[in-house]
Amino acid sequence: MDDIKYTPSQPSVLKYDANKDYGTPKSDSDVMVTLNIDGVDVTVPEGTSIMHAAQLGGVTVPKLCATDSLEAFGSCRLCLVEIEGRRGYPASCTTPVASGIKVKTQTPKLADVRRGVMELYISDHPLDCLTCAANGDCELQDMAGAVGLREVRYGYEGENHLGQAKDESNPYFTFDASKCIVCSRCVRACEETQGTFALTIQGRGFDSKVSAGNQDFLDSECVSCGACVQACPTATLMEKTVIAAGTPEHSVTTTCAYCGVGCSFDAEMKGEEVVRMTPTKEGGANHGHSCVKGRFAWGYATHADRITTPMIRKSIHDPWQKVSWDEAINYAASEIQRIQAQYGKDAVGGITSSRCTNEEVYVTQKLIRAVFGSNNVDTCARVCHSPTGYGLKQTLGESAGTQTFDSVMKSDVIFVMGANPTDGHPVFGSLMKRRLREGAKLIVADPRAIDLVENSPHIRADYHLNLRPGSNVALISALAHVVVTEGLVKEDFVKERCEWDSFVAWRDFVAKQENSPEALAKDLGLDPQKVREAARLFATGGNAAIYYGLGVTEHSQGSTTVMGIANLAMATGNIGREGVGVNPLRGQNNVQGSCDMGSMPHEFPGYRHVSDNDTRALFEAAWGVTLSADPGLRIPNMLDLAAEGSFKAVYCVGEDIAQSDPDTQHVTHALENMECVIVQDLFLNETAKFAHVFFPGASFLEKNGTFTNAERRISPVRKVMTPKNGLRDDGKHEAGLEDWEITARFSEALGYPMHYSHASDIMDEIAALTPTFKGVSFKKLDELGSIQWPCNDEAPEGTPTMHVEEFVRGKGKFFITQYVPTTERVNGKFPLILTTGRILSQYNVGAQTRRTDNVVWHPEDKIEIHPHDAEDRGILEGDWVGVTSRAGQTVLRAKITERVQPGVVYTTFHHPESGANVITTDNSDWATNCPEYKVTAVQVTKVNQLSEWQKDYRTFSDTQIELSGMDPQTVVS
Ligand code: SF4
Ligand code: SF4
Ligand code: SF4
Ligand code: FES
């Protein structure tokens, strides 16, 4: 055999095989070491284990306690080898390579030792392989075969673990202790990969066992990420779906449809049925890790509530009629034509969703612009991250985050502002926790004590700036004031990379005494000294990276804060390399992509303004139509005009504005006023209850396309099963349609055929018309796995870090960020501030996660209230409390906790009946109309019944479910 060389900088010499388990993690060292394994010279990076080197050289050493996602542990003694000149039998997993050593992995003595080890394991293991759920997919079974174990000399008469009880408390996996070999892979996965530390090995020797803190998995600290299940080499920790359905037969790589991390998964299938979702090792965003949603919460795709038959009706008080695709599409088209003829072309519009693929968003905005004839297209990204688009475009020149997720591993200071990564972006949260355990410093700016503050094992924020909701701009100014007045600006960077005049104006502004932490202390509710120390740490602690979320954007000054964040990064030279940067954590799976695809009324794909003549000419030539140069209506404009009576029809794809947009009563009034509401979705969502046409959508498992995550990573979404929306419940089955096909057929019915035969054709069109996507194609995605845009001639394989040599806009531009307190103020009537957020187990409006077993962790939204505020009001844990704002009232159960500060209450918005948006107001960001969800003045009082809105909602909702032919008693609400 030829000698084998592997170098990290020349991976093409010997490529890693994603399907192989190398036993121990790879080393990134550039120093190469050559050793001899079984007669073959192998050259590998220093720090590689002998086991890993052997595997690279094509030699498999038996192993049980080792797997390449975890650091070596060396407990099972199965991987012993002989090294010439060394005494004994070292474990190959814990022994690093050394230059010139000669290793033997197969000798008669080693075979004997390994068989002896295996014999001991098997003598305390149930011999039910043929009926075991892991049969054929069990490393213990494989190793018994690999070491040639043919008999077990010890009987079962002695002490053993075979009678131990199963823990089936977790809805998604079982723990069958009788099969455990105490290899501790699960414990280490929970610590190293997930960072939750829920498991321990309890006891010693024969009595040692895995424990979830002496309680059931369900009651333990476990967050059901599944890392332990994936790491387990036996059937001890096992997915219940695999136990029920058997081992999968084939798999297709696709992308999670939940959050903006964009984890890559292998959908492991049996025929058309998903048996297991396994995060892929090659996934650029997740490297083989996942959270409970992506790994386990996919059952909604086949839930009984799915509507699979197109439906139409004249009035929202009529029963729905189930019709064919043709009839539904033709009816919708005729209504749009009627309404435009009667009220003008601007009386209609469309709304897309960040849950849609890029291709779906693209064809929808094309339909609105080219066929409806206006720019009245908007997106749910309006209500979350539009200030990011605006603020980063102004300052840096591109409306996107600057880094890869992996970049955090090079950060020395991590500044998390208005984001809750362990709940909202869990896989990235785990990576961040890993870096924090390695010693990076942490600053958290959040009114509430998120888990990272002190609730994650081995992690404690160095500074928790628990500012008053609504004072973000004041905080950014105060931090900047310290940087500027204490001489902490990186002037060389600013001089070389930024517009000096804009810097000087900004510097002089933030240096004013009114922007000092002391002057702003009252607005912030923070100790000025703490703000000063945090600012010094950020500016002088090495690589400093900012991660922010909706706690920054969903404010009346959301865009101002984003610009302030960019100012701070530029002033301290923390941009343009790994470990630093400005990183918006996007909530939903395709927030970045839906914005990229031109889903806002003023921009074509690639953030080019509709008034730009050259851009318009480009799209006019490609689409063969004349396009409007005027920005169209935003969602709030559409709703205001609908409430007034001049906006009459909306095509709403994948978005549920009746639940997710602020001031619910205004939204529902507007919807009631429209003559044709067309909803395309999986379920009869809250908006669909006001609809006249329902196009049943396809789940992410039933379509092809792409999602773009928070690090600009375009990842493939691949069809793993036939779209279920052809399975009509009247028995007249038709071909199911992917969502882009529905839109294309709708367009054709309106007289504008779209000639795509596959989602890849749409991406080809996007690439042809959008410079930052020029080099993207499905073929390249298949080759590379994923691509971070910009991807073009200069960067044919994409761009992990942006603004490296210069900013996209040339020189970075500083903007003055004057703090203007929100008009939503507390007073005697509304003395508390309500702020909102997410929880790990639920997702956005909950339409998907409420239809999975994730409800065991969060069956209802609650209102968190500080013990002092609760005591003042006589509120006890679990009491019903009325939450009243200037916009409305709702009733929720109280959760008393010091996580919120006095004067602040907090809730989530995953259940429609909670009516969180009944109380949010229509205040919004000055630049983008992003709603001010995070600041609502409220009063909280003890009550004993639901609010009037909730009672009306229940009646209306039940009636609408009945009109659809479903049973309100069984439909998930
Ligand atoms: S599922 Fe995740 S959090 Fe729970 S014990 Fe396993 S690794 Fe730990
Ligand atoms: S549960 Fe699985 S991974 Fe954990 S110690 Fe037992 S066999 Fe090893
Ligand atoms: S972190 Fe986000 S993308 Fe990854 S599995 Fe969880 S929900 Fe899906
Ligand atoms: S695999 Fe090396 S000791 Fe277990």
Side-chain angles (χ1 to χ4, degrees):
M1 200 192 287
D2 292 340
D3 294 347
I4 295 167
K5 282 198 177 66
Y6 170 80
T7 63
S9 48
Q10 289 174 282
S12 56
V13 174
L14 182 60
K15 279 220 159 115
Y16 264 87
D17 177 350
N19 297 314
K20 267 192 185 171
D21 182 349
Y22 292 83
T24 60
K26 69 175 156 186
S27 162
D28 288 331
S29 173
D30 278 330
V31 180
M32 304 306 288
V33 170
T34 300
L35 70 163
N36 186 285
I37 301 177
D38 293 343
V40 177
D41 279 352
V42 181
T43 302
V44 294
E46 192 177 54
T48 305
S49 71
I50 290 177
M51 172 182 281
H52 192 121
Q55 188 69 276
L56 280 170
V59 174
T60 300
V61 183
K63 63 180 182 55
L64 274 174
C65 69
T67 187
D68 59 12
S69 61
L70 302 172
E71 295 301 328
F73 191 58
S75 69
C76 75
R77 312 298 293 164
L78 202 63
C79 67
L80 310 186
V81 291
E82 291 177 12
I83 302 176
E84 202 174 285
R86 287 197 199 171
R87 294 177 54 168
Y89 305 100
S92 63
C93 62
T94 50
T95 309
V97 294
S99 185
I101 60 171
K102 291 192 172 151
V103 178
K104 285 191 180 145
T105 69
Q106 316 291 339
T107 67
K109 182 65 197 166
L110 289 172
D112 259 6
V113 176
R114 287 175 189 153
R115 268 195 297 275
V117 170
M118 277 310 295
E119 197 176 355
L120 282 172
Y121 278 121
I122 298 296
S123 68
D124 191 9
H125 197 85
L127 293 180
D128 61 355
C129 288
L130 284 182
T131 53
C132 177
N135 188 19
D137 185 20
C138 170
E139 291 182 44
L140 188 69
Q141 196 181 43
D142 292 348
M143 288 307 121
V147 303
L149 186 68
R150 297 288 171 259
E151 60 168 338
V152 177
R153 289 164 291 167
Y154 321 109
Y156 288 125
E157 299 79 35
E159 254 193 302
N160 60 48
H161 298 89
L162 302 179
Q164 301 206 29
K166 276 189 195 175
D167 176 353
E168 304 205 78
S169 60
N170 187 290
Y172 295 119
F173 59 83
T174 58
F175 174 71
D176 182 353
S178 70
K179 295 185 170 167
C180 180
I181 57 169
V182 201
C183 65
S184 93
R185 272 162 65 160
C186 54
V187 178
R188 288 177 285 137
C190 192
E191 292 175 1
E192 294 173 28
T193 311
Q194 167 56 24
T196 292
F197 294 74
L199 303 177
T200 51
I201 300 285
Q202 215 173 50
R204 298 174 75 93
F206 179 82
D207 292 327
S208 55
K209 61 174 188 182
V210 172
S211 163
N214 272 330
Q215 49 195 336
D216 284 347
F217 268 80
L218 189 60
D219 299 326
S220 73
E221 297 292 311
C222 167
V223 293
S224 290
C225 70
C228 56
V229 181
Q230 189 168 335
C232 183
T234 67
T236 313
L237 282 159
M238 192 79 188
E239 296 91 346
K240 288 183 176 174
T241 47
V242 177
I243 294 172
T247 40
E249 290 161 346
H250 68 279
S251 75
V252 182
T253 303
T254 189
T255 302
C256 177
Y258 281 120
C259 86
V261 177
C263 295
S264 174
F265 279 87
D266 286 336
E268 297 189 43
M269 311 289 297
K270 242 189 166 159
E272 285 261 306
E273 190 187 348
V274 177
V275 176
R276 165 166 71 191
M277 293 290 275
T278 303
T280 49
K281 222 157 100 174
E282 299 283 272
N286 58 323
H287 305 297
H289 190 34
S290 74
C291 81
V292 59
K293 293 192 285 287
R295 191 190 294 261
F296 295 122
W298 35 269
Y300 70 86
T302 48
H303 193 276
D305 289 355
R306 270 278 303 263
I307 295 179
T308 55
T309 311
M311 304 191 297
I312 58 173
R313 60 180 175 176
K314 282 259 180 266
S315 145
I316 66 165
H317 306 295
D318 292 341
W320 284 100
Q321 272 177 266
K322 296 185 174 175
V323 296
S324 66
W325 272 113
D326 275 346
E327 200 172 343
I329 286 169
N330 289 337
Y331 177 74
S334 68
E335 279 295 276
I336 294 293
Q337 282 163 337
R338 174 186 70 76
I339 288 168
Q340 288 197 308
Q342 194 172 341
Y343 302 102
K345 71 175 167 37
D346 283 335
V348 304
I351 298 170
T352 66
S353 170
S354 301
R355 290 192 275 279
C356 298
T357 63
N358 286 318
E359 293 72 12
E360 288 157 12
V361 174
Y362 180 85
V363 291
T364 305
Q365 61 87 35
K366 179 174 174 179
L367 170 86
I368 310 295
R369 298 185 203 279
V371 188
F372 286 11
S374 74
N375 289 314
N376 292 345
V377 58
D378 207 0
T379 168
C380 66
R382 152 94 44 235
V383 300
C384 65
H385 264 288
S386 46
T388 289
Y390 179 82
L392 297 187
K393 181 93 178 168
Q394 297 292 312
T395 47
L396 313 180
E398 191 57 271
S399 302
T402 60
Q403 310 297 125
T404 61
F405 288 137
D406 289 351
S407 156
V408 79
M409 295 309 286
K410 299 208 168 136
S411 299
D412 303 305
V413 180
I414 298 171
F415 179 16
V416 178
M417 184 169 187
N420 186 1
T422 53
D423 280 54
H425 304 85
V427 164
F428 175 63
S430 289
L431 190 70
M432 183 185 275
K433 286 196 291 185
R434 181 184 284 224
R435 181 63 189 152
L436 291 168
R437 290 198 304 276
E438 288 177 356
K441 303 287 183 198
L442 175 65
I443 303 166
V444 173
D446 202 297
R448 183 171 169 268
I450 57 170
D451 275 357
L452 284 177
V453 170
E454 58 180 0
N455 234 11
S456 290
H458 308 292
I459 286 164
R460 196 179 180 89
D462 295 273
Y463 296 98
H464 177 207
L465 305 174
N466 53 338
L467 71 179
R468 300 282 295 160
S471 62
N472 284 339
V473 174
L475 177 65
I476 287 293
S477 296
L479 294 168
H481 176 89
V482 178
V483 169
V484 162
T485 57
E486 296 191 8
L488 307 178
V489 170
K490 291 271 183 323
E491 283 212 8
D492 291 353
F493 180 89
V494 175
K495 275 192 182 126
E496 189 193 331
R497 300 285 308 270
C498 305
E499 284 183 8
W500 184 252
D501 290 351
S502 72
F503 167 72
V504 170
W506 172 79
R507 181 193 64 193
D508 294 349
F509 165 73
V510 294
K512 288 181 186 167
Q513 182 53 26
E514 69 194 47
N515 287 319
S516 69
E518 291 72 20
L520 290 166
K522 195 154 170 287
D523 296 85
L524 292 166
L526 293 174
D527 172 4
Q529 190 54 26
K530 199 157 117 178
V531 177
R532 283 191 179 271
E533 287 171 14
R536 288 172 198 144
L537 173 62
F538 182 83
T540 63
N543 280 345
I546 306 174
Y547 293 87
Y548 71 88
L550 306 186
V552 159
T553 54
E554 289 178 344
H555 286 272
S556 59
Q557 282 199 290
S559 293
T560 317
T561 312
V562 172
M563 292 192 285
I565 284 171
N567 291 340
L568 198 60
M570 290 189 288
T572 53
N574 279 307
I575 205 142
R577 62 182 187 279
E578 286 193 292
V580 299
V582 175
N583 302 278
L585 294 174
R586 312 301 190 129
Q588 302 187 68
N589 50 334
N590 202 31
V591 175
Q592 181 68 56
S594 78
C595 296
D596 301 342
M597 291 299 107
S599 58
M600 303 241 191
H602 62 295
E603 283 169 343
F604 285 113
Y607 303 98
R608 288 162 295 169
H609 204 275
V610 291
S611 63
D612 181 76
N613 291 339
D614 292 344
T615 305
R616 231 175 32 261
L618 179 75
F619 281 91
E620 285 177 342
W623 295 350
V625 290
T626 304
L627 295 167
S628 168
D630 300 323
L633 300 172
R634 296 170 171 181
I635 295 171
N637 307 134
M638 293 183 206
L639 295 173
D640 288 348
L641 292 175
E644 283 167 21
S646 60
F647 186 82
K648 294 292 186 184
V650 69
Y651 174 40
C652 201
V653 185
E655 187 49 21
D656 192 1
I657 53 172
Q659 191 182 342
S660 62
D661 280 41
D663 201 352
T664 304
Q665 293 174 94
H666 177 60
V667 177
T668 55
H669 171 60
L671 287 167
E672 272 172 328
N673 254 13
M674 292 191 211
E675 293 184 11
C676 184
V677 173
I678 304 163
V679 168
Q680 186 165 318
D681 208 287
L682 301 179
F683 303 104
L684 192 76
N685 65 19
E686 299 311 307
T687 309
K689 290 171 185 165
F690 295 88
H692 307 85
V693 178
F694 188 89
F695 292 156
S699 80
F700 80 110
L701 296 165
E702 299 158 24
K703 60 174 85 167
N704 291 303
T706 52
F707 293 146
T708 307
N709 75 354
E711 37 160 25
R712 294 169 279 105
R713 185 182 300 280
I714 308 160
S715 298
V717 177
R718 292 292 177 263
K719 195 193 256 191
V720 306
M721 58 174 74
T722 317
K724 305 229 170 290
N725 54 14
L727 302 172
R728 294 179 50 172
D729 53 14
D730 56 7
K732 299 174 193 158
H733 291 179
E734 300 185 83
L737 298 177
E738 297 181 40
D739 287 82
W740 69 263
E741 291 179 286
I742 300 168
T743 306
R745 280 186 52 182
F746 185 26
S747 180
E748 186 166 8
L750 283 160
Y752 184 87
M754 291 185 180
H755 302 288
Y756 308 118
S757 59
H758 189 273
S760 64
D761 297 342
I762 304 171
M763 179 53 82
D764 291 343
E765 184 172 314
I766 295 166
L769 296 171
T770 314
T772 43
F773 275 66
K774 190 174 171 204
V776 181
S777 67
F778 276 35
K779 184 166 173 287
K780 194 185 274 185
L781 281 167
D782 285 342
E783 282 162 17
L784 300 179
S786 61
I787 301 168
Q788 286 178 271
W789 68 257
C791 173
N792 45 30
D793 294 343
E794 294 80 54
E797 297 203 348
T799 310
T801 307
M802 292 196 79
H803 315 295
V804 174
E805 301 291 333
E806 61 170 5
F807 287 99
V808 171
R809 70 183 301 285
K811 298 270 188 193
K813 183 168 181 179
F814 286 80
F815 279 78
I816 303 263
T817 54
Q818 179 73 51
Y819 172 50
V820 181
T822 171
T823 53
E824 183 66 12
R825 306 253 172 92
V826 292
N827 59 19
K829 196 169 171 202
F830 302 111
L832 304 173
I833 296 178
L834 169 77
T835 189
T836 58
R838 290 162 195 265
I839 198 153
L840 169 69
S841 54
Q842 295 283 357
Y843 173 71
N844 202 267
V845 295
Q848 293 137 291
T849 42
R850 281 185 286 109
R851 291 180 171 91
T852 70
D853 285 329
N854 278 25
V855 286
V856 302
W857 292 285
H858 188 78
E860 61 179 339
D861 296 314
K862 291 186 176 171
I863 185 120
E864 291 186 4
I865 182 166
H866 190 273
H868 293 168
D869 292 325
E871 196 183 344
D872 286 351
R873 292 163 175 77
I875 293 168
L876 301 175
E877 179 77 20
D879 277 351
W880 283 113
V881 294
V883 188
T884 311
S885 73
R886 294 178 178 97
Q889 194 205 35
T890 194
V891 171
L892 298 163
R893 276 190 203 283
K895 181 173 176 185
I896 299 173
T897 169
E898 291 188 1
R899 277 197 177 215
V900 287
Q901 53 185 288
V904 175
V905 289
Y906 167 89
T907 190
T908 47
F909 51 89
H910 303 302
H911 293 263
E913 197 174 298
S914 308
N917 282 324
V918 173
I919 35 184
T920 51
T921 68
D922 59 4
N923 271 13
S924 64
D925 174 47
W926 60 273
T928 65
N929 269 158
C930 182
E932 191 177 37
Y933 287 121
K934 302 293 181 186
V935 189
T936 308
V938 295
Q939 178 57 292
V940 172
T941 48
K942 197 167 161 173
V943 296
N944 52 20
Q945 57 176 326
L946 295 177
S947 71
E948 286 309 310
W949 178 85
Q950 282 166 313
K951 288 182 205 159
D952 292 349
Y953 165 80
R954 215 173 247 188
T955 311
F956 175 76
S957 180
D958 285 355
T959 307
Q960 287 299 324
I961 292 167
E962 272 166 9
L963 290 173
S964 74
M966 293 188 288
D967 180 357
Q969 301 306 316
T970 59
V971 167
V972 174
S973 63

